[in-house]
Amino acid sequence: MLSYDVVVVGAGGAGMMAALSASEDKDLRVACLSKIFPTRSHTGAAQGGINAAMAYRDSSDSPEQHFKDTVKGSDFLADQDAVEFFTSKMPEIISELDYYGVPFSRDENGRIAQRPFGGASSPRTCYSADKTGHVILHALYEQCLKNKVKFHNDWYLLSLAVEDGKFEGLVAIDIRSGEIHPIQAKAVVIATGGFGRIYWSRTTNAINMTGDGTAACLEVGIPIKDPEFVQFHPTGLASTGVLLSEACRGEGGYLLNKHGERFMARYAPEKMELGPRDLVSRSIETEIKEGRGFGEGMGSYVLMDLRHLGEKKIMERLPQVRELAMDFEGVDLVNEPVPIRPSCHYMMGGIHVSDYRTCSTPIEGIHAAGECACVSIHGANRLGGNSVADVVLFGKYAGIGAKETAKKRAFSGTKKLENEAKQWIEKFKHIRNKKTGINMFSIRDRLAETMWNNVGIFRTEHEMVEALKTVDQLLEEYKDAYAGDPSQTYNMAFINYVEIGNLLKLSKAVTIGAINRKESRGSHSRADYPKRNDAEFLKHTMIYKEGDHYRLDYLPVTITKYQPEERKY
């Protein structure tokens, strides 16, 4: 049986930062599991930048301003002690990344360049052209190799083993060989990313963003916090949902309807295109609903126009965005506007982190960081530039937390762990030998359609109750799902099968949270409850899974400095 002091699951920004921090203690054996090659992790898709109050471009900016903007952006659902910790530590994290060799873009004085992003009172988003996540990922991978972190690439997390509240380890499959391994560990950091693929084709997320670690934590009794808060990015490419960075609007892009109007003047007259994401997404959908968009149905869109920026600026600051528009829409932004529509982008909710300093969860030994976790610093709506900041900062502190846990905690027994591995070996065999059943991809596609139509940008009780019925029906059908691949090695059909199971569980949690939050706050917009209701809902949703039963509870929001007020831009 494999055995490590610390196992990190996921090799994106949060996972590699955690592995790097934990591996600074040379006495600990640290491993990192990733279902794809580390530098292909989804952090690499983050284009626009990373927030920190460096005050290079605006000398009046400060961590306190960043704190205030983040709390306001969160529609007052963020835990303010965690946000203050986050914003105060970010400048030193940028310096650390700079030291690791991240090639940030520079201003005329040679300092790290900063650009404006939605919902921010100052230009504080540090960037590397429009490839920020990509360069951070590569720098972190180099540092992990230098620190001799043991990488298990093409390994996939199947489940966690917890017996009587004690964490024993995890079960993973080596995709290449098809072998299923129990792995004993003193501490684990779950850093498996978000689960935007519940909307399947209308998301900016990579196809592997299926919430594996979040679902695994849910199964062992750790609650999911605030799952109903789903961020829809305003500028996904119309036909694929592929992301065009907020940097497009940060650099001065316009949003236009079919009459050629810059329609954001109607919704955020001061901030215009630089309103927060939830507001801009709803504005675009309203334009489409009221007949001022182009196209019809799922093919509807508005335009984003960057032509006035000129070719030089586009090539210098937005080269990848231009490439994506050409590859996926056949449009050259230098010469014509590009069709865009909101696309599911980010999960504000996730694994309940009970201590933001260590990123620990209610089960000792299990830590979580990045998009799969909910600290909560994003509350009901995340500000652009705060996600890459979140992954590197809390990835670092999750690694430190796991390192401390591993030093004080002995290995637990392995009875549950071995039993769990045996069950997965049987399941893998059963799914490979299954000759008939319900096509698993039809389950996935019906789930996506139901979630987009009924638990999307605009929500009502009636539609969400219908969605819940459909999700329950699909969970039943999943018991007879058919994968159609008998092979032992490289069995991606089996991986897809497990992923679809995870998406179904998480969709149910999202829908239950959304039905029961009878208000509109941040990204959660209800036509039947259009107002924010602090008297009843200034609290975090907590969803527990007990067998097949889902239990709903709530947790107070931590408010330290900023009392809730109306959110205007």
Side-chain angles (χ1 to χ4, degrees):
M1 183 186 292
L2 289 170
S3 174
Y4 293 101
D5 296 298
V6 177
V7 174
V8 178
V9 185
M16 286 205 280
M17 200 72 175
L20 189 56
S21 292
S23 64
E24 278 166 9
D25 186 326
K26 302 299 174 217
D27 296 332
L28 296 180
R29 285 163 309 134
V30 178
C32 187
L33 263 60
S34 180
K35 65 176 171 179
I36 53 172
F37 194 78
T39 52
R40 289 186 57 229
S41 298
H42 201 49
T43 299
Q47 299 163 359
I50 173 169
N51 287 345
M54 310 301 284
Y56 291 151
R57 185 159 159 191
D58 176 1
S59 58
S60 69
D61 195 19
S62 65
E64 186 66 30
Q65 274 303 118
H66 187 189
F67 173 21
K68 193 175 179 180
D69 289 345
T70 300
V71 170
K72 183 183 176 183
S74 80
D75 218 348
F76 297 90
L77 200 75
D79 287 325
Q80 294 183 20
D81 51 351
V83 177
E84 190 161 21
F85 176 81
F86 162 69
T87 60
S88 66
K89 300 278 186 193
M90 270 316 298
E92 67 191 59
I93 290 282
I94 295 292
S95 301
E96 215 168 297
L97 292 174
D98 196 20
Y99 173 73
Y100 289 152
V102 172
F104 286 108
S105 295
R106 301 279 164 176
D107 64 17
E108 58 281 2
N109 299 311
R111 298 175 304 188
I112 291 168
Q114 296 186 282
R115 58 169 46 130
F117 253 40
S121 55
S122 291
R124 71 170 67 93
T125 307
C126 307
Y127 62 93
S128 180
D130 58 354
K131 298 182 175 75
T132 312
H134 175 84
V135 294
I136 288 173
L137 206 52
H138 280 260
L140 291 179
Y141 184 51
E142 287 169 0
Q143 295 300 318
C144 284
L145 292 176
K146 187 184 87 175
N147 271 18
K148 299 188 168 47
V149 170
K150 171 71 178 164
F151 281 94
H152 291 283
N153 301 330
D154 300 321
W155 281 49
Y156 178 73
L157 172 71
L158 294 169
S159 63
L160 298 169
V162 174
E163 181 78 344
D164 298 326
K166 286 194 168 55
F167 168 68
E168 292 183 2
L170 54 135
V171 181
I173 182 170
D174 175 350
I175 298 170
R176 298 178 207 187
S177 67
E179 281 178 44
I180 287 172
H181 296 269
I183 306 170
Q184 193 182 25
K186 291 178 185 170
V188 66
V189 177
I190 302 294
T192 53
F195 47 96
R197 282 283 159 178
I198 61 174
Y199 296 95
W200 199 253
S201 58
R202 277 241 62 85
T203 177
T204 64
N205 287 190
I207 57 168
N208 60 5
M209 297 284 277
T210 49
D212 312 314
T214 313
C217 285
L218 186 62
E219 284 292 347
V220 294
I222 298 170
I224 296 190
K225 186 159 71 190
D226 295 335
E228 66 268 37
F229 294 105
V230 178
Q231 181 165 86
F232 296 89
H233 197 291
T235 55
L237 286 171
S239 57
T240 57
V242 166
L243 174 69
L244 290 193
S245 170
E246 185 151 328
C248 297
R249 290 176 292 126
E251 295 295 350
Y254 299 153
L255 293 175
L256 306 174
N257 61 20
K258 72 176 182 186
H259 305 306
E261 296 172 304
R262 280 181 71 189
F263 57 83
M264 283 310 300
R266 261 193 287 284
Y267 308 97
E270 286 181 35
K271 289 280 189 184
M272 292 292 285
E273 284 85 2
L274 284 174
R277 289 176 176 175
D278 59 332
L279 176 63
V280 181
S281 290
R282 283 196 297 274
S283 306
I284 293 169
E285 286 299 301
T286 302
E287 290 294 303
I288 289 169
K289 271 189 165 180
E290 293 180 359
R292 293 186 292 276
F294 300 82
E296 286 177 4
M298 286 291 272
S300 307
Y301 61 90
V302 296
L303 294 174
M304 182 162 65
D305 192 357
L306 301 172
R307 290 173 296 181
H308 55 285
L309 300 181
E311 186 170 3
K312 184 173 180 289
K313 193 171 186 178
I314 290 170
M315 289 309 295
E316 182 187 304
R317 305 206 184 167
L318 303 166
Q320 184 177 253
V321 162
R322 183 189 182 207
E323 216 171 282
L324 291 169
M326 288 165 89
D327 289 348
F328 292 101
E329 291 288 345
V331 166
D332 185 346
L333 309 161
V334 172
N335 305 318
E336 54 191 316
V338 63
I340 56 99
R341 187 174 185 181
S343 195
C344 164
H345 183 56
Y346 187 88
M347 298 293 163
M348 270 73 73
I351 300 158
H352 170 47
V353 166
S354 43
D355 182 353
Y356 61 84
R357 295 171 201 83
T358 59
C359 295
S360 52
T361 69
I363 295 177
E364 190 190 19
I366 302 177
H367 300 252
E371 191 180 343
C372 69
C374 183
V375 170
S376 151
I377 58 165
H378 307 305
N381 173 61
R382 174 178 70 75
L383 291 186
N386 269 356
S387 63
V388 185
D390 173 4
V391 299
V392 290
L393 185 128
F394 289 106
K396 174 181 175 171
Y397 284 93
I400 294 169
K403 177 171 67 178
E404 295 309 314
T405 300
K407 279 170 24 185
K408 70 179 186 213
R409 193 174 176 267
F411 285 113
S412 294
T414 59
K415 191 177 166 192
K416 172 75 173 173
L417 180 58
E418 289 173 54
N419 194 29
E420 196 84 15
K422 280 185 192 133
Q423 286 177 11
W424 277 109
I425 289 165
E426 282 308 306
K427 188 160 202 170
F428 186 31
K429 197 170 159 188
H430 168 68
I431 293 298
R432 290 202 329 266
N433 293 331
K434 202 170 189 296
K435 299 283 191 288
T436 59
I438 297 168
N439 182 304
M440 64 179 183
F441 296 119
S442 86
I443 294 173
R444 181 199 72 193
D445 293 344
R446 280 180 289 148
L447 174 71
E449 194 176 346
T450 270
M451 293 305 287
W452 178 260
N453 290 333
N454 295 8
V455 199
I457 293 174
F458 293 106
R459 300 169 173 182
T460 64
E461 183 107 9
H462 170 71
E463 288 172 335
M464 292 190 290
V465 167
E466 285 306 306
L468 190 56
K469 284 182 197 161
T470 304
V471 173
D472 280 335
Q473 183 193 332
L474 294 172
L475 277 161
E476 267 313 300
E477 289 182 21
Y478 179 72
K479 291 173 183 171
D480 187 32
Y482 167 64
D485 183 353
S487 60
Q488 163 97 17
T489 58
Y490 284 102
N491 193 326
M492 288 311 294
F494 177 69
I495 302 301
N496 294 155
Y497 164 81
V498 181
E499 288 174 334
I500 291 165
N502 291 337
L503 292 173
L504 285 163
K505 289 173 205 167
L506 297 170
S507 295
K508 184 162 181 173
V510 169
T511 309
I512 290 170
I515 289 169
N516 287 282
R517 184 170 286 276
K518 299 181 193 304
E519 65 160 355
S520 288
R521 183 187 297 268
S523 67
H524 176 64
S525 179
R526 289 193 56 164
D528 45 359
Y529 294 97
K531 293 268 187 284
R532 194 178 80 194
N533 179 354
D534 290 337
E536 288 182 72
F537 291 102
L538 187 62
K539 56 189 180 183
H540 297 296
T541 302
M542 304 285 274
I543 293 183
Y544 296 80
K545 185 173 184 286
E546 295 158 350
D548 288 338
H549 173 69
Y550 284 66
R551 176 168 65 84
L552 177 74
D553 205 349
Y554 290 98
L555 187 73
V557 174
T558 305
I559 294 172
T560 57
K561 288 187 181 176
Y562 298 108
Q563 292 304 314
E565 59 184 44
E566 194 187 345
R567 192 163 152 257
K568 286 181 184 166
Y569 288 96

